[in-house]
Amino acid sequence: MTPSLELGLDTFGDVTRDAAGSALPHAQVIRNVIDEAVLADQLGIDFIGLGEHHRADFAISAPEVVLSAIAARTEHIRLGSAVTVLSSDDPIRVFQRFATVDAVSNGRAEVILGRGSFTESFPLFGFDISQYEQLFEEKLDLFVALLKQEPVTWQGELRPPLKDQLVFPPVEHGRLKTWIGVGGSPESVVRAAHYDLPLMLAIIGGDPKRFAPYVDLYHRAFREFGRPAIPIGVHSPGYVADSDQQAREELWPDYKLMRDRIGKERGWPPMGRDEFVREAEHGSLYVGAPETVARKIAATVKALGAARFQLKYSAGPMPHEKLMHSIELYGSKVVPLVRDMLA
């Protein structure tokens, strides 16, 4: 497991602030994200994922466009979404866009498909939120059919059928790597196994080991389907600084601001400092000096048998300069430390 362990980064393009404390324009945030990805590539980080959102506090609504810009300035880092909200998109267009990113990047594209924990895209694109589950199930079924890159004959209830339809451009070499992003639904875990797709666990709170039953379910489903299991990945938030104290003090105000803004929409109480500390010490917040973060990542990888770990490094309005330093520490210190700990 450990020789093939991949260590990556994720961002939603959180709208950050400038030196005077003012929010940066969305366009500047997008340009900064591209620079962050270029730095990650230079440091040898394996993957960068861009989340899709359609709201004021996140700048990236079209990850594939930004990924193509990153592809033109990088050489090795794999490029993907984190996640693509398939339920409110067209599976054929999603496949075409990522096949295009794959061409631009010479085979480095991936897609992580999810139902979306944010639902702003449903009214924006004219989808009925009451069909949340059915939309994802049907569109995933069609997307998996597209992965074979053969003439597609398909029929569902929510869109017109297809008969012997080819989709262009094809992926140049092999099959587009496609993950299913899961936040804790057993049905989604089994669905990923049914379609023979790798599982990306979004663990954003609590002890990561509480997801071990989902990993067991995933492996059990593969056995029942008579196929060998595919390795899993983990996505969790974090921040790296020169010391544990510095990391916590720098992250806390921006993390709380982001957490409370989203929590207010979902009926959560405001986050207290005690909860933040608990998440940092025992939960799924990977914050601290490089060795602290590395130890925690290594423990999660061991506990869940993960083949990839993706750190969501952006946190609310935290300035671009601090994010760049966090990326530098992650790539130059955390990544080698994790590999040494798991060797």
Side-chain angles (χ1 to χ4, degrees):
M1 174 184 66
T2 52
S4 60
L5 175 67
E6 297 176 333
L7 293 158
L9 294 168
D10 289 335
T11 179
F12 298 164
D14 308 53
V15 173
T16 52
R17 63 178 183 273
D18 61 19
S22 300
L24 290 174
H26 285 69
Q28 184 59 54
V29 173
I30 290 171
R31 290 190 288 269
N32 288 346
V33 166
I34 294 170
D35 288 341
E36 291 158 12
V38 170
L39 175 61
D41 182 60
Q42 293 169 349
L43 292 165
I45 292 169
D46 294 311
F47 172 86
I48 186 152
L50 309 185
E52 173 200 343
H53 294 86
H54 304 272
R55 45 187 289 143
D57 45 354
F58 299 121
I60 299 173
S61 61
E64 307 93 336
V65 179
V66 185
L67 291 169
S68 283
I70 293 170
R73 292 184 54 193
T74 57
E75 296 181 5
H76 304 293
I77 194 166
R78 294 194 62 80
L79 311 167
S81 57
V83 299
T84 292
V85 185
L86 185 65
S87 308
S88 57
D89 211 330
D90 183 272
I92 294 174
R93 292 298 286 143
V94 172
F95 180 87
Q96 289 175 324
R97 295 195 298 263
F98 277 92
T100 302
V101 174
D102 197 69
V104 173
S105 65
N106 289 311
R108 291 185 279 139
E110 302 183 7
V111 60
I112 303 176
L113 303 174
R115 294 177 297 177
S117 62
F118 294 86
T119 58
E120 291 85 359
S121 60
F122 285 79
L124 182 64
F125 299 124
F127 291 97
D128 186 347
I129 194 66
S130 69
Q131 296 178 318
Y132 183 79
E133 292 288 346
Q134 186 182 6
L135 282 164
F136 184 71
E137 289 173 5
E138 282 205 10
K139 292 184 177 190
L140 178 61
D141 189 64
L142 175 53
F143 193 90
V144 171
L146 300 171
L147 291 175
K148 300 174 184 177
Q149 303 195 102
E150 301 170 349
V152 174
T153 296
W154 181 92
Q155 184 168 348
E157 295 181 8
L158 301 179
R159 62 158 292 156
L162 298 171
K163 182 172 176 59
D164 295 330
Q165 182 68 58
L166 282 169
V167 175
F168 304 99
V171 175
E172 187 174 21
H173 302 294
R175 169 171 156 147
L176 177 67
K177 186 165 187 177
T178 302
W179 303 71
I180 298 295
V182 177
S185 163
E187 294 80 10
S188 295
V189 171
V190 174
R191 185 184 295 123
H194 169 74
Y195 285 115
D196 203 22
L197 295 175
L199 188 69
M200 181 60 65
L201 295 171
I203 308 178
I204 59 173
D207 187 341
K209 292 191 291 294
R210 69 190 177 91
F211 275 73
Y214 294 104
V215 177
D216 293 341
L217 175 62
Y218 185 62
H219 291 162
R220 190 164 67 250
F222 268 96
R223 289 195 297 271
E224 292 178 3
F225 292 134
R227 299 192 303 268
I230 300 173
I232 68 153
V234 172
H235 152 105
S236 290
Y239 178 70
V240 192
D242 295 306
S243 69
D244 288 350
Q245 181 178 358
Q246 180 186 350
R248 291 189 185 189
E249 292 306 315
E250 289 183 354
L251 179 63
W252 160 243
D254 294 324
Y255 189 83
K256 174 178 170 56
L257 186 67
M258 175 187 64
R259 164 67 166 70
D260 288 354
R261 183 174 57 235
I262 296 170
K264 186 177 181 181
E265 299 170 2
R266 302 183 180 187
W268 303 341
M271 184 180 218
R273 184 65 185 245
D274 289 348
E275 181 185 352
F276 175 79
V277 171
R278 283 197 304 274
E279 282 296 326
E281 294 181 351
H282 308 294
S284 297
L285 185 57
Y286 296 73
V287 55
E291 186 170 351
T292 299
V293 174
R295 281 199 304 268
K296 196 166 186 179
I297 292 173
T300 296
V301 168
K302 284 182 180 179
L304 299 180
R308 180 187 287 178
F309 182 91
Q310 298 174 192
L311 184 79
K312 198 269 185 180
Y313 68 89
S314 54
M318 179 172 284
H320 167 63
E321 293 73 21
K322 289 184 178 178
L323 298 180
M324 290 287 274
H325 186 54
S326 181
I327 292 168
E328 195 281 327
L329 291 174
Y330 182 77
S332 65
K333 296 187 177 181
V334 174
V335 168
L337 281 169
V338 172
R339 297 197 189 285
D340 287 345
M341 290 174 185
L342 295 174

